[in-house]
Amino acid sequence: MTPPAARPENGAVRFSQCNLWREQRRFYQEEGVRAWSGKIPYQATCNPVIANAYAQLIARFLQDYVRSARQSPGPVFLLELGSGPGTFGFYFVKRLLGLLESLELREPGFVYVMSDFCEKNVAFWRSHPALRELVSQGVLDFAQYDVGASRRVRLLESGRVLDRESARERSGAPWVVFANYVFDILPQDVFRVAGGRLFEGRTRGLPEGASLPALDNAPMSLGQLGIGLELQEIRLPYYRDAALDGVLRRYAGTLADQSFLFPLHALLGLRNLIELAGGNLLLVATDKAHGHAPPEVSVDTPDLALHDASFSMMVNFHAIGEYFQLRGGSAVHQPVMQPINTSVFHLGKPFGRLAETQAAVATFLHQFGPGDLNTLFSGLNLLVSSSPPEMLLALLNVGRWDPMLVNAHLGQLVALAKEAGPETRRSLADGLRQCADQFYYLPGAESTLANVGIVFQELRDHASALSCYQRSLGWFGQEPAELYANTLYNMGLCHFYQGEREKALEAFRRSDAAAPRQDMLAKGWIYHLTMECPAGMVKGE
């Protein structure tokens, strides 16, 4: 049941119905995956480290499920909300497959479902060669799912429809839901508790003709955007949902004078998914959120972070935890708050009986979780440039050779490769291969493959460098022109030093044709090779 619409009074509506959210939605619909090409921050929840942490957790959760299943367990659906560019899903599925193989855990099997409300994003995933490979293995599917609005999940590859009717027919296998940087962009409501009385914040929204300013990760208050909040006293029940109203009732009885955010659309989406999962669901969420208390909000404090022409707000993980508890479930919040935080919510078998899952939560999410990693890397990235090589290698190893980390430290890697001894060369080569295997193409993104090729070239491993360059060309083609020309030029050098002069000449000529006014070095090599061996007589050694 959808909560009743607030009756506009003097033009004021609930904050969740503010036109601010329509602007947000329009941005993502228009941009598609381009939104993640330098506009929307996402690296903190889309990297190999968080994918490994989640994979370790889910592998243990599957072990608990298999151990307690009374019959042959059916496949588990792993649903990612707001998959955006698809990077996290790519990392996670590959890592989970490797873990399950090493654990020899062949049952119950899983289907990972990437979902988003934006049709452009879904179309991009379905055409992505790296994801098609996982689809062919039967472990990946896609869905256009709108959190807070959609009532069913329709799998686009298999054609299967997951709804309330099919939930009664399934084997009782639990669902796993991931929500990384999703709830912070969904509509929320605003309430205030004062003297035990509950008030709702109503707003007239953005002034007519106004739009969000295109700023980069800039904090801003509602007041700065011209959005006011008018408090109106309400009485419970308000949402006509026992658990939703139960959370508000708890806040009204426990909070002193405080305004707080209420993640309405996140909770509506979770209510639907709990029903689809037959009441057996594990939610893992990482976001800019508070788990131990509801986050405050006002028109005067910078409660929004602007990202290009979109925005994000703090998420009330505490309210989500209260909601799960009111429905008989449990919540485990990150003990020490960081700029981003991870919480785990569960409904179904008592969480205390999931021994493997509990251990994994403590080890892989809370002792050194995504928030800790993000905070440490923010400082270490600044220190590494003036530190010994061991510091750089340690950072990359802890970061599981994240392609974005390699891109950020390319200059230092090139310098290290030039002077590396045998042991360091081996460590570098192993890490570079790990990085290349994790490359995930996004339009407009930097070519990690070309960067890895450059470091291999400095290691004098020309065969590995050529392989990376060829893969880079396969993904990026002739755009951008500078990358295309530089890659061909580097391929020419690799061919030359491998004694393949004919191939070297061809690569230099293609590089020169791609950037005839810029690449004088290619012209020099063409002259050198054609003078040494006239046209038509160039031979490989």
Side-chain angles (χ1 to χ4, degrees), residues 381-437:
N381 277 326
L382 299 175
L383 292 174
V384 163
S385 58
S386 57
S387 301
E390 293 79 10
M391 177 72 82
L392 174 60
L393 290 176
L395 175 70
L396 291 169
N397 282 328
V398 170
R400 300 184 68 86
W401 287 83
D402 180 357
M404 287 193 178
L405 275 178
V406 169
N407 293 340
H409 296 285
L410 178 62
Q412 293 163 264
L413 284 167
V414 169
L416 179 59
K418 289 179 179 178
E419 302 174 356
E423 289 296 327
T424 302
R425 290 172 65 87
R426 278 193 289 272
S427 297
L428 268 177
D430 289 343
L432 292 170
R433 291 188 180 93
Q434 181 179 346
C435 177
D437 287 343

Side-chain angles (χ1 to χ4, degrees), residues 444-445 476-486:
F476 289 89
Q478 299 184 23
E479 297 293 337
E482 183 179 4
L483 171 64
Y484 179 61
N486 288 343

Side-chain angles (χ1 to χ4, degrees), residues 236-420:
L236 298 173
Y238 184 63
Y239 285 120
R240 299 194 305 214
D241 177 284
L244 291 175
D245 289 325
V247 177
L248 292 180
R249 187 171 284 107
R250 284 188 176 186
Y251 283 165
T254 58
L255 295 180
D257 289 357
Q258 179 186 332
S259 297
F260 61 90
L261 287 166
F262 192 77
L264 178 63
H265 276 232
L267 289 170
L268 293 178
L270 290 171
R271 181 178 68 181
N272 180 63
L273 292 173
I274 288 169
E275 292 179 8
L276 295 183
N280 195 355
L281 181 142
L282 177 75
L283 167 66
V284 187
T286 299
D287 220 318
K288 42 188 290 186
H290 286 294
H292 299 290
E296 297 190 49
V297 64
S298 76
V299 295
D300 300 318
T301 56
D303 296 309
L304 291 86
L306 297 181
H307 315 289
D308 197 80
S310 69
F311 69 95
S312 61
M313 297 188 75
M314 292 298 298
V315 184
N316 190 348
F317 275 2
H318 181 269
I320 297 175
E322 295 285 296
Y323 179 81
F324 269 73
Q325 289 170 13
L326 283 166
R327 297 198 58 165
S330 58
V332 182
H333 300 294
Q334 187 171 310
V336 179
M337 293 296 99
Q338 299 283 359
I340 62 169
N341 294 287
T342 299
S343 290
V344 178
F345 311 88
H346 180 255
L347 269 175
K349 186 183 295 293
F351 196 66
R353 293 168 60 185
L354 303 177
E356 294 279 359
T357 305
Q358 287 190 90
V361 168
T363 302
F364 299 108
L365 290 181
H366 291 164
Q367 288 181 4
F368 183 58
D372 300 306
L373 178 76
N374 187 56
T375 300
L376 284 173
F377 277 7
S378 297
L380 288 175
N381 277 326
L382 299 175
L383 292 174
V384 163
S385 58
S386 57
S387 301
E390 293 79 10
M391 177 72 82
L392 174 60
L393 290 176
L395 175 70
L396 291 169
N397 282 328
V398 170
R400 300 184 68 86
W401 287 83
D402 180 357
M404 287 193 178
L405 275 178
V406 169
N407 293 340
H409 296 285
L410 178 62
Q412 293 163 264
L413 284 167
V414 169
L416 179 59
K418 289 179 179 178
E419 302 174 356

Side-chain angles (χ1 to χ4, degrees), residues 123-342:
F124 174 76
W125 309 330
R126 297 191 74 184
S127 65
H128 200 299
L131 298 179
R132 295 308 310 175
E133 182 179 342
L134 297 173
V135 171
S136 67
Q137 297 178 43
V139 296
L140 179 64
D141 213 318
F142 311 108
Q144 189 170 350
Y145 183 81
D146 193 348
V147 181
S150 296
R151 304 296 297 275
R152 63 179 187 170
V153 179
R154 185 169 69 88
L155 305 184
L156 298 177
E157 295 296 327
S158 69
R160 185 173 183 178
V161 176
L162 307 176
D163 55 17
R164 286 163 179 75
E165 291 184 5
S166 64
R168 290 190 288 269
E169 300 169 0
R170 292 194 294 271
S171 64
W175 279 31
V176 175
V177 175
F178 295 149
N180 294 332
Y181 272 160
V182 176
F183 296 155
D184 63 338
I185 64 170
L186 294 180
Q188 307 195 53
D189 278 333
V190 175
F191 293 94
R192 181 173 182 83
V193 175
R197 298 159 63 194
L198 190 60
F199 299 82
E200 183 183 31
R202 300 284 180 87
T203 179
R204 292 179 175 83
L206 285 170
E208 187 176 352
S211 60
L212 288 169
L215 299 175
D216 182 18
N217 205 28
M220 187 168 284
S221 68
L222 294 173
Q224 287 174 297
L225 291 174
I227 297 176
L229 290 175
E230 304 170 10
L231 294 179
Q232 177 179 331
E233 187 172 3
I234 64 169
R235 297 188 182 280
L236 298 173
Y238 184 63
Y239 285 120
R240 299 194 305 214
D241 177 284
L244 291 175
D245 289 325
V247 177
L248 292 180
R249 187 171 284 107
R250 284 188 176 186
Y251 283 165
T254 58
L255 295 180
D257 289 357
Q258 179 186 332
S259 297
F260 61 90
L261 287 166
F262 192 77
L264 178 63
H265 276 232
L267 289 170
L268 293 178
L270 290 171
R271 181 178 68 181
N272 180 63
L273 292 173
I274 288 169
E275 292 179 8
L276 295 183
N280 195 355
L281 181 142
L282 177 75
L283 167 66
V284 187
T286 299
D287 220 318
K288 42 188 290 186
H290 286 294
H292 299 290
E296 297 190 49
V297 64
S298 76
V299 295
D300 300 318
T301 56
D303 296 309
L304 291 86
L306 297 181
H307 315 289
D308 197 80
S310 69
F311 69 95
S312 61
M313 297 188 75
M314 292 298 298
V315 184
N316 190 348
F317 275 2
H318 181 269
I320 297 175
E322 295 285 296
Y323 179 81
F324 269 73
Q325 289 170 13
L326 283 166
R327 297 198 58 165
S330 58
V332 182
H333 300 294
Q334 187 171 310
V336 179
M337 293 296 99
Q338 299 283 359
I340 62 169
N341 294 287
T342 299

Side-chain angles (χ1 to χ4, degrees), residues 484-495:
Y484 179 61
N486 288 343
T487 300
L488 289 170
Y489 176 78
N490 285 328
M491 290 177 70
L493 292 176
C494 290
H495 284 305

